[in-house]
């Protein structure tokens, strides 16, 4: 039956940046669909752990700072040691640094591009190796942005890295579809999280943004639920290399 295709019973999902915001919302959605969840974060995931367990799923926290390559092996190893296998990866952790392009520093460039782009690619690679070794196939979901499609203002490294996430999602999908690995993306619109706090606190920008969103509201972590469960489940087995916007109509405008 069609709804059974959305079930994630028996699956293990790894979500980076699981302690808050969209990452936390997606952990809860995956748990509600039946998956056990591994939350990767720099900070404690107590709140996420409680929410996942309240939904009847198991939760493992892996504490890691993703600003170096070091945690990649640890994430896969600890997941497989604990749960025996890994089926879904959601690359959600990401940062943004705002400054005029004319004044943008090398640090602002490197730190953002490292985590949003380089770490994302190499964690995808490690997950794909695990999926191939398991002969199970797998699902990779990369969190892109409206700035995968548009230029943005005062966030050049974010735009560069999120545009790369869209392109890399296609590139990896092309190589790994033969192993039944689906690589897709979700491009959130303007969502109410820490990431956009500065924008929402700026009355002028807040007004400007809201007036351009056809849905007339900021998105929420719950708005990610349907898209992430779909792309993590058998319902999307023939969807490959596509980035789905969850944006209240922003891109359509
Ligand atoms: P957020 O700031 O609340 O969450 C970001 C997450 O990434 C946090 O869990 C944070 O701990 C984690 N993270 C950042 N640097 C890390 C590091 N060095 N090591 C480990 N974890 C680290 O913001 P959010 O809005 O929930 O963002 C989640 C993702 O969605 C990001 O990739 C962001 O770019 C993307 N996104 C957000 C919006 C939005 O409007 N909020 C829009 C488009 C895309």
């Amino acid at each position: 039956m069609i709804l059974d295709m959305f079930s994630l019973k028996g699956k293990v999902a790894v979500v980076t940046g699981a302690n808050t915001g969209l990452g936390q919302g997606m952990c809860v959605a995956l748990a509600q669909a039946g998956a056990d969840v591994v939350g990767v974060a720099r900070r404690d995931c107590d709140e996420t752990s409680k929410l996942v367990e309240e939904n009847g799923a198991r939760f493992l926290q892996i504490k890691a700072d993703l600003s170096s390559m070091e945690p990649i092996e640890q994430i896969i190893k600890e997941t497989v040691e604990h749960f025996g296998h890994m089926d879904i990866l959601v690359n959600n952790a990401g940062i943004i640094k705002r400054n005029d392009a004319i004044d943008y520093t090398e640090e602002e460039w490197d730190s953002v591009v490292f985590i949003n782009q380089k770490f994302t690619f190499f964690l995808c690679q490690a997950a794909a190796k695990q999926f191939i070794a398991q002969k199970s196939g797998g699902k990779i979901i990369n969190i892109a942005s409206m700035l995968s499609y548009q230029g943005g203002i005062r966030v050049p490294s974010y735009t560069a890295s999120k545009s790369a996430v869209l392109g890399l999602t296609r590139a990896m999908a092309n190589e790994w579809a033969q192993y039944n690995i689906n690589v897709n993306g979700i491009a959130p619109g303007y969502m109410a999280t820490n990431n956009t706090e500065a924008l929402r606190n700026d009355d002028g920008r807040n007004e400007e943004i809201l007036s351009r969103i056809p849905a007339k509201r900021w998105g929420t972590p719950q708005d990610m639920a349907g898209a992430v469960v779909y792309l993590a489940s058998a319902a999307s087995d023939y969807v490959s290399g596509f980035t789905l916007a969850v944006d209240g109509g922003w891109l359509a405008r």
Side-chain angles (χ1 to χ4, degrees):
M1 294 292 284
I2 179 62
L3 289 182
D4 296 335
M5 293 184 78
F6 289 85
S7 170
L8 301 179
K9 279 242 150 26
K11 303 291 183 188
V12 173
V14 174
V15 180
T16 64
N19 56 307
T20 183
L22 304 185
Q24 181 177 77
M26 290 189 285
C27 285
V28 174
L30 294 165
Q32 287 178 348
D36 290 319
V37 178
V38 179
V40 181
R42 270 180 301 192
R43 306 210 171 81
D44 275 339
C45 280
D46 296 348
E47 198 180 67
T48 307
S49 166
K50 189 165 168 277
L51 291 168
V52 164
E53 285 167 0
E54 277 170 8
N55 281 288
R58 293 177 292 173
F59 185 82
L60 171 71
Q61 162 157 12
I62 298 179
K63 225 171 185 173
D65 182 345
L66 311 186
S67 54
S68 84
M69 299 290 279
E70 211 193 307
I72 289 179
E73 218 175 292
Q74 174 205 355
I75 292 168
I76 310 293
K77 191 165 168 275
E78 278 190 39
T79 299
V80 174
E81 271 173 14
H82 192 85
F83 286 119
H85 55 102
M86 168 177 171
D87 308 288
I88 298 155
L89 169 66
V90 182
N91 271 304
N92 164 76
I95 56 173
I96 188 163
K97 292 198 174 165
R98 297 176 201 281
N99 196 358
D100 294 341
I102 205 79
D103 296 322
Y104 221 72
T105 67
E106 194 174 353
E107 190 283 325
E108 287 163 338
W109 178 272
D110 285 346
S111 55
V112 172
V113 168
F114 183 89
I115 179 160
N116 293 7
Q117 179 177 336
K118 183 174 176 181
F119 191 90
T120 293
F121 171 73
F122 283 101
L123 187 57
C124 287
Q125 183 194 60
K129 284 182 179 168
Q130 178 62 28
F131 297 153
I132 292 167
Q134 287 174 185
K135 297 190 169 54
S136 59
K139 302 278 182 176
I140 296 177
I141 299 146
N142 295 320
I143 304 307
S145 166
M146 293 296 96
L147 302 192
S148 303
Y149 306 93
Q150 301 177 316
I153 300 168
R154 304 187 72 244
V155 287
S157 60
Y158 188 81
T159 305
S161 61
K162 292 295 185 177
S163 298
V165 165
L166 187 142
L168 282 169
T169 295
R170 291 177 174 143
M172 294 185 285
N174 290 341
E175 293 197 37
W176 301 338
Q178 62 181 314
Y179 304 111
N180 293 322
I181 298 170
N182 299 80
V183 188
N184 290 294
I186 301 175
Y190 285 80
M191 317 297 272
T193 66
N194 301 333
N195 178 295
T196 52
E197 201 175 349
L199 285 181
R200 285 179 290 115
N201 289 341
D202 176 336
D203 287 345
R205 285 289 284 141
N206 187 42
E207 185 54 36
E208 217 172 80
I209 288 166
L210 277 178
S211 69
R212 197 196 173 284
I213 302 173
K216 294 288 173 228
R217 66 170 177 88
W218 287 78
T220 66
Q222 292 72 36
D223 286 317
M224 300 290 283
V228 77
V229 169
Y230 170 59
L231 292 176
S233 73
S236 62
D237 276 354
Y238 202 58
V239 178
S240 193
F242 193 72
T243 295
L244 174 62
V246 175
D247 66 350
W250 176 277
L251 285 181
R253 183 143 172 185

